[in-house]
Amino acid sequence: MSTAETAGTGTARTAAPVTVRVPAKVNVQLAVGGLRPDGFHDLANVFLAVGLYDEVTATATAPGEGPRVTCSGPDTDQVPLDRTNLAVRAADALAARYGIVPDVHLHINKEIPVAGGMAGGSADAAGALLACDALWGTGASREEMLEICAELGSDVPFSLVGGAALGRGRGELLTPLEVGGAFHWVFAVAAGGLSTPAVYRECDRLREARGGGAGADAVPAPEASPALLAALRAGDAALLAEHLSNDLQPAAVSLLPSLDDTLSVGTEAGALAALVSGSGPTCAFLAEDAAAASDVAFALRASGVCRTAHTATSPAPGATVVRPAG
């Protein structure tokens, strides 16, 4: 088999395609601090990885042909297919660090809702990073990978790690969390998406409209709920349901009022609790067990308040190579 130069010498080595499976996430708590002078917000972000997956396949291309990206699955018309795609940016970042020419074709097979508040783009970035690391044989350490992830976006490090974690800072500073059992979820996918920056701006506007101010000096520092963390450790769905929270939910509903109907249908169908996932517009419903989740998903699909509904369990593993280079 012919090979090109090895990683670090300017050209990626030839290898078989590498496929990485990477999960969606749900924020079981998203506490948002005030607006900082740099335009960001401090967060206390309790992530759970859930069993809805994108797959990213990295294939070496001829010199001068990459990077390029293709995509298949629902709503792929909303996925950018140029160098602004977060997966391509991940490949570029790894290549730059190791002196590699990023001649690679990335194909994303999507199951995670696009622009749905479930970190689909971040998942693709983490998947591309791990796939290119294996394809090019860079041997990047876990610390280097997480550093690159944090440069790409606040949710990308958790997409790499998976499981459950508390994210501080902008969400990128992770502390693993213990989970004592499986949780059953339903995710209702809305028609259309919401812009994450727009939702944060609306959160700030609503805070100012209430008269409390939106700046970091006017909003309490975000903290994880001890009761919620205890519910995760115990694997207690009923207890977790009592403590789910998302500070961005009022802003998401303000921008897309139909989310209220979606949340109502799911709770009336037997969900233990409901909330907007992240910045939305996907709505997440916690169910008692798999049978209850199926009932909630059926009711949501039949109601017409969402485009579709998926069932999934958590926690799920982070980015995982499922077809390694050979």
Side-chain angles (χ1 to χ4, degrees):
M1 179 179 73
S2 63
T3 59
E5 297 175 57
T6 58
T9 60
T11 306
R13 65 184 182 186
T14 301
V18 179
T19 297
V20 170
R21 188 175 72 168
V22 61
K25 61 83 178 167
V26 63
N27 306 96
V28 292
Q29 181 188 1
L30 180 50
V32 179
L35 180 64
R36 303 185 328 205
D38 64 1
F40 290 101
H41 301 73
D42 285 326
L43 303 176
N45 199 346
V46 181
F47 295 106
L48 271 181
V50 300
L52 290 175
Y53 300 96
D54 283 0
E55 287 192 347
V56 182
T57 299
T59 304
T61 62
E65 287 190 5
R68 62 188 180 92
V69 61
T70 54
C71 194
S72 59
D75 303 319
T76 53
D77 59 316
Q78 301 177 46
V79 177
L81 300 179
D82 56 22
R83 273 189 128 125
T84 66
N85 185 290
L86 208 53
V88 178
R89 288 174 55 198
D92 278 337
L94 183 67
R97 181 168 291 221
Y98 281 90
I100 293 168
V101 177
D103 289 319
V104 62
H105 169 213
L106 299 171
H107 180 74
I108 303 168
N109 184 25
K110 291 203 69 66
E111 181 184 34
I112 302 171
V114 176
M118 298 187 72
S122 296
D124 297 340
L129 187 64
L130 185 59
C132 288
D133 172 66
L135 182 73
W136 296 334
T138 60
S141 68
R142 189 72 158 177
E143 290 72 23
E144 286 178 291
M145 299 278 274
L146 287 170
E147 184 179 312
I148 295 171
C149 285
E151 292 168 358
L152 293 166
S154 300
D155 288 344
V156 183
F158 179 72
S159 295
L160 184 72
V161 172
L166 169 62
R168 303 305 300 259
R170 293 181 289 110
E172 81 282 12
L173 305 174
L174 298 178
T175 302
L177 297 174
E178 181 184 349
V179 181
F183 294 96
H184 298 270
W185 297 92
V186 180
F187 297 98
V189 181
L194 282 174
S195 158
T196 297
V199 174
Y200 274 96
R201 287 194 298 270
E202 181 68 0
C203 177
D204 295 335
R205 187 192 72 80
L206 291 175
R207 285 173 167 174
E208 290 192 344
R210 290 194 296 267
D217 57 345
V219 179
E223 295 292 341
S225 162
L228 180 135
L229 300 182
L232 288 176
R233 287 193 300 271
D236 188 328
L239 184 60
L240 181 63
E242 295 178 14
H243 298 286
L244 296 179
S245 66
N246 179 3
D247 287 354
L248 292 181
Q249 182 164 314
V253 172
S254 174
L255 294 173
L256 193 61
S258 61
L259 293 179
D260 259 342
D261 294 333
T262 307
L263 294 166
S264 296
V265 168
T267 52
E268 289 167 7
L272 297 174
L275 80 169
V276 174
S277 180
S279 58
T282 299
C283 291
F285 302 87
L286 181 60
E288 183 176 5
D289 53 30
S294 294
D295 290 343
V296 171
F298 178 83
L300 286 162
R301 294 186 197 110
S303 70
V305 297
C306 62
R307 224 160 17 91
T308 188
H310 303 281
T311 59
T313 58
S314 65
T320 303
V321 174
V322 293
R323 189 165 68 246

